[in-house]
Amino acid sequence: MEDINLYTLLFLVLAGFIAAFIDSVVGGGGLISIPALLFTGISPSAALATNKLAGTMGSLTSTISFIRAGKVDFKFVIKLFPITVIGAALGAYVVHFVSAEILKPLILILLVIVAIYTLVKKDWGKDAKYKGLKRKKMILLIVIIFAFGFYDGFLGPGTGSFLLFSFLIIGFDFVQAAGNARILNFGSNIAALIIFLSMGTVNFAYGIPMGLAMVAGALVGTNFAIKGASYVRILFICVTILLIGKNVLNYFHVF
């Protein structure tokens, strides 16, 4: 702890608060938190692991808030919870043996699809239309949720947005989709965190202060999502576009 600069901690606290605010509403908080951790000079693997510690603290907070507000279809989401946990644990394990670069082109394509679809469907997510899923669609959803769980453990940024998009597709409104996504994102976070802890790659000195800031950011963000539902779609589009921009820069090694 003696080597930690006070200004570095303040920077991580601010970044953590903003990241958790965004993440609890529409996902994509890793767009801010992971670059912030990398800026401190720690290795990419340590940044991913430390982000999971902080992110788990924030996602637990927003998960509890959404459940208390009655904005989660708990009976439906709990069936998917083990799927995302298994996927994330596998992704966190595999990332130590396979380069994360292989997923970046696919993630960029998916983000572009998400952005275009959301922009075209102007009234999408305004009202809840979910009435259950038939067997084939449920199986497809399970495969998708497993894939996003794997991605969260393997790389991470944008997972919350992808999960939210999945729930919008099947008929939930933006606030319900955000609440459902938080449950699954917490599951993937905790699973990946356990793997990272077992490998000793978590930086607690950075992760705990950032995590406490994420708790505060998640509380504010969740309240915003629940009370300011009309703004959630706009924020979702903005974050998705930012994620696209960051992935383009990364892909061409500009940033």
Side-chain angles (χ1 to χ4, degrees):
M1 292 290 290
E2 60 184 9
D3 296 328
I4 298 177
N5 187 292
L6 176 61
Y7 294 106
T8 300
L9 282 181
L10 290 175
F11 168 70
L12 290 176
V13 164
L14 178 61
F17 180 88
I18 297 172
F21 175 88
I22 293 173
D23 208 49
S24 61
V25 182
V26 294
L31 179 70
I32 296 171
S33 58
I34 292 178
L37 285 164
L38 288 171
F39 184 76
T40 66
I42 62 177
S43 67
S45 60
L48 286 173
T50 304
N51 183 64
K52 285 303 172 197
L53 171 61
T56 299
M57 295 169 67
S59 61
L60 174 60
T61 303
S62 56
T63 292
I64 293 172
S65 297
F66 273 116
I67 291 175
R68 286 180 173 176
K71 299 300 181 180
V72 175
D73 189 331
F74 200 75
K75 290 182 179 179
F76 177 66
V77 175
I78 202 64
K79 297 175 183 177
L80 300 172
F81 190 84
I83 306 300
T84 192
V85 168
I86 295 170
L90 182 60
Y93 179 76
V94 171
V95 75
H96 290 274
F97 306 99
V98 181
S99 173
E101 295 294 321
I102 63 173
L103 275 185
K104 287 185 178 179
L106 175 60
I107 297 306
L108 179 56
I109 293 170
L110 288 175
L111 284 168
V112 170
I113 292 172
V114 168
I116 293 174
Y117 197 94
T118 308
L119 285 168
V120 171
K121 294 277 188 177
K122 295 184 178 180
D123 293 327
W124 194 44
K126 184 178 180 181
D127 300 308
K129 299 176 182 178
Y130 173 73
K131 296 180 180 179
L133 293 177
K134 293 182 179 180
R135 186 177 179 181
K136 288 184 179 180
K137 289 186 177 180
M138 188 64 188
I139 292 174
L140 178 60
L141 180 64
I142 288 173
V143 172
I144 291 171
I145 294 302
F146 176 83
F148 289 152
F150 179 89
Y151 169 71
D152 195 26
F154 193 82
L155 192 58
T159 302
S161 299
F162 286 134
L163 290 171
L164 189 150
F165 183 78
S166 300
F167 286 113
L168 287 171
I169 282 285
I170 61 177
F172 287 97
D173 63 38
F174 263 103
V175 178
Q176 290 175 319
N180 292 341
R182 281 295 86 203
I183 297 282
L184 298 188
N185 209 182
F186 170 68
S188 61
N189 278 342
I190 196 68
L193 176 61
I194 291 172
I195 300 297
F196 286 133
L197 286 171
S198 70
M199 294 181 172
T201 52
V202 178
N203 186 317
F204 291 96
Y206 287 163
I208 292 177
M210 188 179 226
L212 292 173
M214 283 192 168
V215 168
L219 285 171
V220 177
T222 305
N223 186 63
F224 172 85
I226 294 170
K227 294 185 178 181
S230 60
Y231 299 102
V232 176
R233 180 179 180 275
I234 297 172
L235 184 58
F236 179 72
I237 292 171
C238 291
V239 169
T240 303
I241 291 172
L242 286 173
L243 281 166
I244 291 171
K246 183 180 183 301
N247 275 272
V248 168
L249 293 176
N250 286 346
Y251 187 72
F252 291 105
H253 305 288
V254 177
F255 176 71

